[in-house]
């Protein structure tokens, strides 16, 4: 097998590691590309290509994350990961676990960890690497990795996200949610929302966004049930999609450009959290991005006009 064939076989795993460490599609793709350059430029073939490439992409991602954390401290408003529409790494035996590990709730929880803790936790808990493989990937001893994992688990345990165990039931609830939102059915939406549901948007100061989270079933239902019919009047549409392994949707303007991504956390038969990624810098990998400010101006005008 040639170098490029070996690399392409492992590319899905490498991207999935990098994305979970970084929470950014673009940065993960860059880390994978740099990993290829290092592999292609090496004079000798490693004993284990998987170990070599996993270590390279992990260390590159840790370095990028350290600088990214500084930028996130100055981020305007809530920071969410870039929406991921499909995880290329497939393991049918652990499909549900992998989907949950890439959810926005899980990635936000990982923000509590240091870059090293995050890498060790993901390699061991999500990708089931042996301690020897983890140690090689992060450049620490196995004993140090065990200590890092203990600390990481302690940070993660209190807030570890839980989701609807039955994916079919979760999807059915999401279908009812989006149907109610499309129809402006405020009471129907409220029935599907947890009492303490939160709606939060990530615009990063680069798109219109709410000044703070909207909380409570009545308030979130009223917001979603009144705003989308107005958006529909200016030809904004949406298509349900799985986003970060959870039910969601992609919203587009009249020209088909991406306006924002929405993702739902579902537990105990209710929507617990609604997140909207509006920052245009986080949407370009999905397709051409809409001018959210122009859409907002049209929306304000639609509010003033009688039906």
């Amino acid at each position: 097998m040639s170098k490029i064939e070996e690399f392409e076989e492992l590319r899905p795993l490498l991207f999935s590691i990098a994305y979970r460490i970084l929470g950014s599609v673009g940065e993960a793709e860059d880390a994978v590309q740099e990993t290829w350059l290092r592999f292609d430029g090496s004079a000798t073939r490693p004993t284990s290509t998987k170990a070599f490439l996993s270590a390279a992409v992990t260390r590159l991602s840790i370095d990028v994350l350290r600088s990214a954390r500084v930028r996130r401290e100055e981020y305007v408003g809530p920071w969410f990961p870039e929406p991921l529409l499909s995880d290329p790494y497939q393991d049918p035996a652990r499909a549900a676990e992998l989907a949950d590990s890439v959810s926005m709730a899980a990635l936000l929880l990982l923000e509590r960890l240091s870059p090293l803790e995050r890498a060790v936790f993901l390699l061991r808990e999500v990708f089931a690497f042996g301690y020897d493989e983890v140690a090689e990937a992060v450049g620490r001893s196995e004993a140090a990795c065990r200590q890092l994992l203990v600390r990481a688990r302690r940070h993660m345990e209190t807030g570890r996200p839980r989701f609807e165990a039955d994916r079919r039931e979760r999807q059915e609830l999401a279908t009812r949610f989006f149907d109610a939102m499309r129809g402006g059915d405020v009471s129907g939406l409220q029935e599907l929302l947890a009492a303490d549901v939160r709606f939060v948007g990530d615009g990063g100061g680069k798109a219109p966004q709410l000044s703070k989270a909207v909380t409570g079933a009545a308030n979130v239902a009223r917001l979603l049930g009144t705003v989308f019919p107005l958006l529909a009047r200016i030809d904004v549409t949406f298509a349900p999609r799985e986003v970060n392994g959870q039910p969601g949707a992609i919203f587009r303007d009249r020209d088909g450009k991406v306006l924002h991504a929405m993702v739902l956390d579902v537990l105990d038969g209710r929507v617990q959290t609604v997140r909207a990624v509006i920052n245009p810098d986080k949407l370009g990998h999905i397709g051409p991005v809409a001018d959210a400010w122009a859409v907002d101006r049209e929306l304000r005008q639609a509010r003033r006009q009688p039906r």
Side-chain angles (χ1 to χ4, degrees):
M1 187 181 293
S2 68
K3 264 191 172 183
I4 194 166
E5 288 172 333
E6 283 189 288
F7 182 82
E8 289 302 325
E9 187 174 275
L10 289 164
R11 181 189 287 272
L13 171 64
L14 302 178
F15 174 85
S16 295
I17 292 171
Y19 176 78
R20 284 168 173 81
I21 293 175
L22 294 166
S24 165
V25 173
E27 289 176 343
E29 289 174 343
D30 289 345
V32 172
Q33 181 61 24
E34 179 61 27
T35 298
W36 159 250
L37 294 175
R38 293 188 180 190
F39 181 49
D40 187 45
S42 61
T44 59
R45 297 287 279 269
T47 303
S48 168
T49 301
K50 178 185 175 183
F52 176 89
L53 295 177
S54 298
V57 81
T58 297
R59 294 181 188 186
L60 285 164
S61 298
I62 288 172
D63 289 342
V64 173
L65 180 60
R66 284 177 173 143
S67 61
R69 287 166 78 92
V70 175
R71 297 195 303 272
R72 289 173 195 175
E73 289 175 0
E74 302 171 351
Y75 196 81
V76 178
W79 178 91
F80 295 159
E82 291 182 9
L84 184 68
L85 300 189
S86 62
D87 185 2
Y89 181 65
Q90 302 294 325
D91 183 348
R94 302 173 60 246
E97 183 181 351
L98 287 168
D100 287 350
S101 73
V102 83
S103 71
M104 288 202 175
L107 294 176
L108 288 170
L109 191 57
L110 284 168
E111 289 290 302
R112 298 181 182 184
L113 308 182
S114 72
L116 266 179
E117 289 171 342
R118 186 166 181 161
V120 169
F121 181 86
L122 289 168
L123 292 175
R124 178 64 182 168
E125 297 288 285
V126 176
F127 296 101
F129 278 36
Y131 279 107
D132 57 335
E133 297 173 302
V134 175
E136 182 176 354
V138 302
R140 295 292 189 274
S141 68
E142 288 188 37
C145 289
R146 290 177 188 274
Q147 292 178 341
L148 286 164
L149 183 61
V150 168
R151 289 204 299 268
R153 283 173 174 164
R154 189 165 56 242
H155 286 304
M156 296 289 287
E157 278 173 4
T158 55
R160 188 186 292 270
R162 295 185 301 126
F163 301 106
E164 196 74 56
D166 190 315
R167 295 177 68 83
R168 182 182 58 80
E169 290 181 7
R170 182 175 65 188
Q171 199 58 54
E172 287 176 355
L173 185 142
T175 298
R176 291 165 58 200
F177 173 91
F178 287 118
D179 285 347
M181 190 173 71
R182 184 181 280 111
D185 182 358
V186 175
S187 61
L189 279 167
Q190 189 167 341
E191 291 177 1
L192 302 174
L193 302 175
D196 58 350
V197 65
R198 297 174 71 245
F199 177 92
V200 192
D202 170 4
K206 299 185 177 184
Q209 69 184 82
L210 299 168
S211 58
K212 60 181 181 179
V214 178
T215 59
N219 294 330
V220 173
R222 190 180 308 111
L223 172 69
L224 296 174
T226 56
V227 169
F228 184 74
L230 286 170
L231 287 170
R233 286 169 59 184
I234 59 173
D235 301 320
V236 170
T237 59
F238 70 86
R241 282 289 305 266
E242 191 170 87
V243 180
N244 286 76
Q246 307 302 318
I250 303 299
F251 288 69
R252 299 178 185 272
D253 70 3
R254 63 167 56 91
D255 297 320
K257 294 182 178 179
V258 179
L259 183 60
H260 70 263
M262 179 180 286
V263 60
L264 312 178
D265 290 348
V266 177
L267 179 66
D268 298 330
R270 293 287 185 273
V271 176
Q272 306 288 325
T273 309
V274 182
R275 294 185 178 89
V277 180
I278 314 165
N279 185 339
D281 293 346
K282 298 184 176 185
L283 301 171
H285 61 282
I286 299 175
V289 179
D291 182 344
W293 295 108
V295 172
D296 185 61
R297 288 192 293 272
E298 282 195 77
L299 178 62
R300 292 175 185 275
Q301 186 175 2
R303 278 198 178 106
R304 294 192 294 266
Q305 293 176 344
R307 293 192 61 131

